[in-house]
Amino acid sequence: MIPFSTITPIEYLKGVGPSRAEVLKSELSIYTFGDLLRHYPFRHIDRTQLHKITQLKPEMAAAQVIGRLVQLEERGERRGKRLVGQFMDDTGTMELVWFQHIGWLRKTLTVGAPYIIYGKPTIFNNQLSMTHPEMESYLPGSKNAGNMSLQPVYNSTEKLKKFSLDSKGIQKLQVALLEAIAAQLRETLPEYLLRRHGLMPLPQALEAIHFPANQQVLRHAIHRLKFDELFFIQLKLLKNKLLNTQRFKGHQFDSVGEKFNQFYHERLPFDLTNAQKRVIREIRRDTASGAQMNRLVQGDVGSGKTVVALMSMLLATDNGLQACLMAPTEILAQQHYHSIKKLLGEGIASVQLLTGSTARKDRRIIHTQLEDGSLSLLVGTHALIEDAVKFKNLGLVVIDEQHRFGVEQRAKLWRKNDIPPHMLVMTATPIPRTLAMTLYGDLDSSVIDELPAGRKPIKTTHLYEHSRLRMFGLMKDEITKGSQVYIVYPLIKESEKMDLLYLEAGLETLQQEFPLPRYRISVVHGKMPVKDKEFEMQRFIRGETQIMVATTVIEVGVDVPNASVMVIENAERFGLSQLHQLRGRVGRGAAQSYCVLMSGNKLTKESKLRLETMVRTNDGFEIAEVDLQLRGPGDLAGTQQSGVLDLKLADLTTDQALLTEVRSSVIEVFRNDPQLDNSEHILLRDYLFRREAGIQWEKIS
Ligand code: ADP
Ligand code: MG
C-alpha cells in the first residue's frame, strides 16, 4: 500500500467520507492531507487561564470560564429574537446571548451540562453577559481536558458545522491526520540554516502549531512556519532574477555618446544631486552589461525623477535605439512631454506625445515615424501599448508611477521587440522595504534619497474649519509675493451621506474671498473634457491664474515650481500616501512652501494619526511605514495584483526583521550554490522545479 502523504486526497482520511470531503473542498479549499495540515488554528484556548464569573470585567478582551448552563430560553420576536442562557459557577451567574443559529444551538446545547466557555465579558442593562461565546462541553478529568493545555481553535463555517465539522470536529481530523502522516513529513530547509537561525524542524513545527505543549513551543512553531512562507517566496523571486539575467540578453548600450553628453553639458539647467548621479550610473552599468535591465527607481516626490528618465532615454538614443515613457494619466503624460521638450530644446532628439486624445492624423504620422525610426523619443499613456504602435527598435521603456500599471501591461510593452527593451520603473510612492522586497524582489532597485539643493522643507499645519480665515490669510500673503496656490477637494459630486465641503460650494466662497480682477482661479476636475483640463492646467502653469482648485487629478506628477501653498480640504478623507503625494506638488522651488490640511472637528483616531504624521514629517518612507501599519499590505499600491502576498502566518507589517533575515539567507544560499546542485539543497531545487510545473509545495514535503 502506498503510504499516506501530504498529497493524499482528503477523502482517504479516517473520519472523512465523500460528503465531508465535499464540504471541506467547497468551504475551505481543503483537497489533500497537506491542505488540512495547513489549515492552522487561528488561536489556542489556554486551559491554564481560567476565570471565575465574579472576576469578569467588561475591560477584559476575552475570558474563559468553566460552569454550568442552567437555563436556556428564546426571547423577543422576529428581528429581536435571541437565545438567552444562564451560566453559573460557584461564584455567580451571567447571561449568554445568541442572535444567530438559534435553532441549531437549541438542539446541541444541553441545559444542566458543564461547559467551558470563551468570550468577551460585557455589561448590558447592569447584567454581566457574553454574546456568542464559544461553547464546549467540559468533561472534568477526561483525558483530553487534562492533556491539552493549549487547545487549537479552527475557523469553520455554518455548512461545515452541519457535518459536525466545527472547531472541535476539525481538531479531531487533525489528530487523525497527524497519526496518519507524521512519520512521512520531511524537512525542507538545509540543516545549516536550521542551526544558524535556531529553527524548529518542519515536521515538529507542523505538529506543534496544532498541538503545542506550551506557549513557548507554539511561538517557535509559528516562527518556523513564517520563516518558510517568506523563504520560499524569496527563493522564487530571487531565482527569477537570477534566471532573467541569464536568459534574456538585452541591448548593450556601449556608447555614452553625443546626445547624452550634449544634454549634460549644454542643456541641463542645474547640477544633478548625488543621488540622481548614482542612479544614472546604476542605469548606465545595467544597460552596458548585455543583459536586460529591470530596475525600479523609487524617489520621493520632487526628487527629480523626470531628468533621470530623460537621460536614460538619451542613452538609448545614443545607441541608435528608441525610447518611450509611459505615464498613468493624460495630464501627467502631457506634463512629461512638455518638460522633456523644454529640457531638450532643439536638435538633440525628436520627441512626440501619444495619448488617447491624439488626433488620428497626428497618430498616423507618429506611427510611421516610429516604424521608420525617425522618431527617437515617445511620451504617452496607455495608448503606447496598443497593437498599432510598432517601434523600429525599442531600446528602453520608462514607466512612471508604476503602481497604476498591471504586470500584464508591463509585459505587453516588453514584447514589442525581439530583444526585450530595458525596463525602468519609476515610483514616487515609497514602498516600505519589506513590501518592495516581496513585491519587486525580481527588480533591482535604486533609490533617489536626496532632494535638490536649496529646497526648504514644506511647513505643514492642520487647521479646523473655524480657522479657515487663517488659511485665506496665508493664501493672500503668498499670492501677494507672486506665488501660486493649489486647493484640492476629495470629491466632485455631492454625496448626501458624507458631510463634505464640496468643490462647487467651496468655489463660491473662494470667488467671494478672492474676487476678480485681482485674483484669478483655475478649476480642474475629473468630469471635465480633457481639452478643458489641459487648457486650465496650462493657464496655471503659465502663471495666468494664481489659484488652482482641483480634485485629485493633480495628485501625480504635475510640476509648477512657482506654487508654494497646497491646501487640502477634508484632509481626513484622504489616505496617507495620497496626502503625501499632494503635498509634494509644492516645495519645488527655492521659496518656503506650505501645506494646510483642513479638516472637520470630528476625527477618528486613525485620521488623527494620519494628519499628525503629515505634520510631523516630510519623509515619504516614514509615511509609507505608518501607512502600512494603518492599512495593512493588502491596501497598498500594487499588492492586489501580485498574488505573492498569499501569506497564512507571516505579516509584513510586524515581521519586517524576519523578512530581512530570510532574504539574506536566501541570497547566501544562491551565492554559495547558484544552481542548487549541492545535496543539501536538493529539496529547494525540487521545490522550484516542481513549482514551475504548477504543483503546490505541499506535494513535496
Ligand atoms: P519627481 O521626482 O517628483 O518626478 P520632477 O522630476 O518632477 O520630480 O522634479 C521636480 C522639480 O525639480 C522639477 O522642477 C525639476 O526641474 C527640478 N529638479 C530636478 N532635479 C533637480 C536638481 N538636481 N536640481 C535642481 N532642481 C532639480
Ligand atoms: Mg514625476
Side-chain angles (χ1 to χ4, degrees), residues 270-273 276 300-306 452 455 559 561 588:
F270 38 68
D271 292 330
L272 292 175
T273 63
Q276 284 170 321
D300 213 342
V301 273
S303 62
K305 291 185 293 296
T306 311
R455 296 265 172 88
D559 186 26
R588 309 200 136 210

Side-chain angles (χ1 to χ4, degrees), residues 268-274 276 298-309 332 335-336 339 342-343 400-401 426-428 448 450-455 556-561 581 584-585 587-589:
L268 194 60
F270 38 68
D271 292 330
L272 292 175
T273 63
N274 286 327
Q276 284 170 321
Q298 292 186 65
D300 213 342
V301 273
S303 62
K305 291 185 293 296
T306 311
V307 74
V308 171
L332 190 52
Q335 179 87 35
H336 274 308
S339 49
K342 194 164 144 217
L343 280 166
D400 195 13
E401 310 293 351
M426 307 213 288
T427 174
I448 309 184
E450 185 186 356
L451 295 181
R455 296 265 172 88
V556 275
V558 177
D559 186 26
V560 180
Q581 289 291 315
R585 297 305 108 211
R588 309 200 136 210

Side-chain angles (χ1 to χ4, degrees), residues 195-261:
R195 231 177 309 117
R196 172 124 24 107
H197 297 276
L199 297 175
M200 183 185 274
L202 185 65
Q204 205 178 319
L206 285 171
E207 195 163 346
I209 193 169
H210 296 283
F211 304 108
N214 55 47
Q215 291 286 358
Q216 200 195 351
V217 169
L218 176 62
R219 269 198 305 276
H220 266 99
I222 291 175
H223 180 80
R224 162 62 210 253
L225 294 169
K226 280 182 179 179
F227 192 99
D228 258 46
E229 283 184 355
L230 298 171
F231 186 90
F232 286 96
I233 290 174
Q234 291 297 321
L235 191 73
K236 187 150 185 277
L237 282 171
L238 290 167
K239 185 212 83 170
N240 281 346
K241 187 159 143 180
L242 206 79
L243 281 191
N244 275 344
T245 42
Q246 286 171 352
R247 209 185 307 157
F248 303 116
K249 277 185 69 72
H251 295 286
Q252 194 156 352
F253 292 0
D254 295 316
S255 50
V256 177
E258 251 189 275
K259 295 180 188 307
F260 183 92
N261 288 331

Side-chain angles (χ1 to χ4, degrees), residues 373-618:
S374 56
L375 180 61
S376 12
L377 305 178
L378 182 64
V379 177
T381 53
H382 288 77
L384 294 191
I385 356 184
E386 282 162 16
D387 292 333
V389 181
K390 296 197 183 71
F391 293 84
K392 181 172 183 224
N393 207 348
L394 182 60
L396 172 76
V397 175
V398 182
I399 300 182
D400 195 13
E401 310 293 351
Q402 95 91 205
H403 60 277
R404 309 228 170 163
F405 290 107
V407 174
E408 188 40 40
Q409 289 166 318
R410 261 205 270 164
K412 227 174 153 178
L413 265 172
W414 205 78
R415 288 192 293 263
K416 279 197 177 287
N417 247 35
D418 293 337
I419 300 181
H422 297 298
M423 301 290 281
L424 195 61
V425 173
M426 307 213 288
T427 174
T429 311
I431 304 165
R433 253 166 53 79
T434 45
L435 261 190
M437 278 194 258
T438 315
L439 291 175
Y440 304 109
D442 58 333
L443 302 183
D444 292 304
S445 110
S446 294
V447 182
I448 309 184
D449 49 5
E450 185 186 356
L451 295 181
R455 296 265 172 88
K456 297 195 180 70
I458 301 163
K459 286 189 181 150
T460 303
T461 43
H462 168 204
L463 296 181
Y464 293 100
E465 194 47 43
H466 59 78
S467 309
R468 180 164 288 274
L469 288 181
R470 260 177 70 193
M471 185 267 274
F472 286 152
L474 173 70
M475 283 176 62
K476 283 176 185 160
D477 287 351
E478 287 297 302
I479 292 172
T480 306
K481 285 190 223 157
S483 292
Q484 290 166 283
V485 178
Y486 292 105
I487 303 182
V488 176
Y489 286 83
L491 283 181
I492 168 67
K493 273 288 158 229
E494 254 178 281
S495 151
E496 289 148 8
K497 280 196 193 131
M498 280 183 280
D499 176 27
L500 292 180
L501 287 167
Y502 306 105
L503 182 139
E504 279 121 338
L507 194 57
E508 251 168 64
T509 319
L510 273 175
Q511 281 159 343
Q512 283 164 17
E513 196 68 33
F514 296 87
L516 285 163
R518 172 145 172 48
Y519 300 100
R520 285 177 309 277
I521 304 177
S522 281
V523 183
V524 169
H525 60 74
K527 297 259 155 69
M528 281 163 73
V530 175
K531 281 259 174 320
D532 298 356
K533 267 195 250 179
E534 171 63 358
F535 177 76
E536 287 291 307
M537 282 304 306
Q538 287 304 329
R539 288 210 308 154
F540 187 67
I541 290 168
R542 286 196 297 266
E544 294 164 15
T545 56
Q546 302 108 327
I547 301 172
M548 160 64 75
V549 178
T551 51
T552 52
V553 285
I554 57 161
E555 182 189 336
V556 275
V558 177
D559 186 26
V560 180
N562 191 47
S564 68
V565 183
M566 167 64 67
V567 177
I568 304 175
E569 296 281 1
N570 299 102
E572 72 271 27
R573 304 274 181 204
F574 290 87
L576 251 182
S577 66
Q578 236 181 339
L579 289 172
H580 181 62
Q581 289 291 315
L582 287 168
R583 178 169 61 183
R585 297 305 108 211
V586 296
R588 309 200 136 210
Q592 176 63 56
S593 292
Y594 305 89
C595 174
V596 184
L597 307 168
M598 298 297 300
S599 86
N601 290 325
K602 279 209 176 127
L603 295 177
T604 63
K605 230 168 102 191
E606 216 186 287
S607 50
K608 216 179 227 156
L609 179 60
R610 284 200 299 266
L611 299 182
E612 279 165 10
T613 306
M614 287 293 294
V615 171
R616 188 185 71 237
T617 180
N618 275 302

